[in-house]
Amino acid sequence: MSTTGADEAVTERRLHPVTPLRRAWAPVAVIAGWAVHDPDQAQRQLTRLTTTTLLTGLAVLIPAAALYGFLTWWFTHFAVTDAELRIRTGLLFRRTAHIRLERIQAVDVTQPLLARVAGVAKLRLDVVGTDKKDELAFLGVAEARALRAELLARAAGFAPGTAHEVGEAPSRHLLRVPPGVLAVSLLLTGATWGTLAAAVAVPALLWPATHSLWTVLATALPLAGAAGARSVGRFVGEYDWTVAESPDGLRIDHGLLDRAHETVPPGRVQTVRIVEPLLWRRRGWVRVELDVAGSSNSVLLPVAPREIAESVVARVLPGVTVPAPAALSRPPRRSRWCLPLWWRGHGLAVTDAVFAARHGLLRRSLALVPHAKVQSVRLTQGPWQRARRVADVRVDTGADKTVTARLRDADEAAELLRDQAERSRTGRRDARPDRWMA
């Protein structure tokens, strides 16, 4: 169908015909939610039902759910105009979302397991200034990828008439994380072993106090399950992690059951963190995490050798060189009275491109903030810090995150505060615009 405006004709499209099957579950989910919320009442009501009443209820509920799914699909349309993506939804109450193309910062294609079986995909959009992602669920896989390419082409400045012909930008494969390496890295994660240790130690302490097998099992099993679920969940989500480079940013594909095709948009990365757990250091492995303004993308590399990770970081932050550990200056020795032992884990390096702060003794984390992404800089100093003549310098980014250089000499911190404000001003002036590359 189409609608005609004052100066343009817009062709509206519907979602994939399989969408009603997904939306038909909504009434059933409401009933299931009520049953979970009040199980005693739900059980009493269920025992009162006769077989005839139950069958009659199902005969009404199933067609009603199917009708609801069909109507919500029928009244959902989307269209791409010269300036925006327009999504109209609502059965009783209409809602129209107008998404300006120049404010789109990421377009991801995801496929949950059942969607992969049905050959459909979700199109999820990160938009500047919104916390919740807008999505089109579901589209055919080919249609989702074509629409993604069209949106990125228009956001990059291509004319509407040629955006359809541009297609998906070519990509160059950079790396793939082998499943074996991912599995070993998860086994060497301290959080996993810490939870397993708690699953052994806590029951051992409870048994002499309670002599109750049920109490011990009720404590041990959830702790052991939490350790396994954490590792298995990360393995499933980060399986077959692949990174490729394209003009519209770094493309990331991952997932064993649910596949995700994500893009790290150029110019929108606010902070890069290089995380180095204790048990990874002998192998030279690191994890790279991101803070992207308005986006849920938070991992760039789940595990990789440090040299490879630094080369990928250089593509996310052009012109940035990761400071070597020896280049990070430690806090003065007198700061050990503020943070005994752990003060050694902090460090700071300021280059022409980034503000780099490290924290952590067992699990090191080096945060890199480009000067152009610093929104504000603050100096904080508690009473004990004033007594030791040290202070913290905090920089705030556009992703509502803060990176802190802790326990710096007070005079150094004051000078750093002044210099960082100037670096941020000149960095924003010289930075490239946050737009998709043509």
Side-chain angles (χ1 to χ4, degrees):
M1 64 182 294
S2 64
T3 61
T4 305
D7 56 355
E8 62 175 356
V10 179
T11 301
E12 292 190 335
R13 291 179 272 178
R14 287 194 175 92
L15 302 176
H16 194 276
V18 78
T19 304
L21 297 178
R22 172 217 184 199
R23 296 186 173 181
W25 284 101
V28 179
V30 172
I31 297 176
W34 167 75
V36 172
H37 178 71
D38 192 356
D40 294 335
Q41 181 67 17
Q43 185 177 6
R44 286 194 295 269
Q45 294 294 336
L46 187 61
T47 55
R48 296 176 183 174
L49 296 177
T50 64
T51 303
T52 302
T53 305
L54 184 60
L55 293 176
T56 303
L58 291 176
V60 174
L61 178 61
I62 293 176
L67 180 62
Y68 171 81
F70 173 79
L71 291 177
T72 54
W73 168 78
W74 183 262
F75 286 101
T76 299
H77 305 89
F78 69 94
V80 182
T81 70
D82 291 350
E84 65 184 16
L85 170 65
R86 188 180 303 161
I87 304 174
R88 295 199 297 119
T89 59
L91 180 58
L92 299 178
F93 302 96
R94 303 295 288 168
R95 172 184 176 269
T96 303
H98 299 267
I99 303 172
R100 302 289 298 179
L101 297 180
E102 70 271 11
R103 297 186 68 81
I104 294 177
Q105 59 185 12
V107 184
D108 301 331
V109 177
T110 62
Q111 284 187 281
L113 179 60
L114 293 180
R116 293 174 65 185
V117 174
V120 295
K122 289 183 182 180
L123 197 71
R124 306 183 67 188
L125 301 100
D126 278 328
V127 183
V128 176
T130 60
D131 296 329
K132 183 180 179 181
K133 282 190 174 185
D134 286 285
E135 68 176 27
L136 293 173
F138 289 95
L139 301 170
V141 175
E143 183 182 8
R145 291 185 177 272
L147 181 58
R148 176 188 181 276
E150 180 184 355
L151 292 175
L152 297 185
R154 293 201 185 189
F158 284 94
T162 59
H164 292 283
E165 304 171 1
V166 172
E168 190 170 27
S171 62
R172 182 172 66 90
H173 176 83
L174 293 180
L175 65 93
R176 175 180 176 269
V177 178
V181 172
L182 178 61
V184 172
S185 71
L186 293 175
L187 291 176
L188 296 179
T189 300
T192 300
W193 288 105
T195 309
L196 288 175
V200 174
V202 173
L205 295 174
L206 285 177
W207 175 253
T210 63
H211 293 285
S212 172
L213 179 62
W214 293 112
T215 301
V216 171
L217 291 177
T219 305
L221 292 179
L223 288 174
R230 178 184 178 88
S231 299
V232 172
R234 279 184 54 178
F235 181 83
V236 171
E238 297 173 355
Y239 179 84
D240 194 29
W241 193 281
T242 306
V243 180
E245 187 177 35
S246 73
D248 52 33
L250 289 185
R251 294 181 185 167
I252 300 174
D253 292 272
H254 62 93
L256 178 61
L257 301 179
D258 297 351
R259 291 294 295 176
H261 178 81
E262 302 172 345
T263 303
V264 178
R268 299 300 300 176
V269 177
Q270 307 292 306
T271 308
V272 173
R273 287 183 302 278
I274 300 177
V275 181
E276 190 178 18
L278 176 64
L279 299 179
W280 290 14
R281 293 177 194 171
R282 289 188 60 184
R283 297 175 177 267
W285 291 346
V286 297
R287 176 181 175 89
V288 183
E289 301 175 348
L290 302 172
D291 290 330
V292 181
S295 174
S296 61
N297 292 341
S298 60
V299 180
L300 179 60
L301 288 174
V303 59
R306 189 179 186 91
E307 297 78 10
I308 295 178
E310 290 182 359
S311 67
V312 176
V313 170
R315 288 176 166 83
V316 174
L317 302 177
V320 171
T321 300
V322 179
L328 299 170
S329 62
R330 284 183 176 179
R333 289 188 61 83
R334 62 179 181 274
S335 66
R336 68 184 184 274
W337 300 105
C338 300
L339 195 63
L341 185 62
W342 298 101
W343 69 277
R344 295 177 177 273
H346 294 281
L348 174 67
V350 180
T351 69
D352 294 338
V354 293
F355 178 97
R358 186 186 68 189
H359 74 274
L361 195 59
L362 300 180
R363 187 177 186 269
R364 296 174 183 166
S365 178
L366 176 64
L368 308 174
V369 184
H371 296 311
K373 302 304 180 182
V374 175
Q375 301 295 310
S376 63
V377 56
R378 297 171 286 140
L379 186 149
T380 60
Q381 190 180 43
W384 189 244
Q385 289 178 316
R386 285 197 297 270
R388 308 313 302 176
R389 304 193 314 280
V390 294
D392 298 341
V393 177
R394 304 173 184 271
V395 297
D396 303 313
T397 71
D400 295 329
K401 303 290 185 179
T402 299
V403 174
T404 305
R406 294 211 60 194
L407 305 175
R408 309 310 302 177
D409 177 83
D411 294 335
E412 177 195 1
E415 182 180 359
L416 182 61
L417 181 71
R418 295 189 297 269
D419 293 345
Q420 185 58 48
E422 178 61 22
R423 291 189 190 96
S424 301
R425 184 183 66 82
T426 57
R428 285 191 293 271
R429 182 192 63 196
D430 300 334
R432 295 182 298 176
D434 294 344
R435 287 184 58 87
W436 299 100
M437 301 178 190

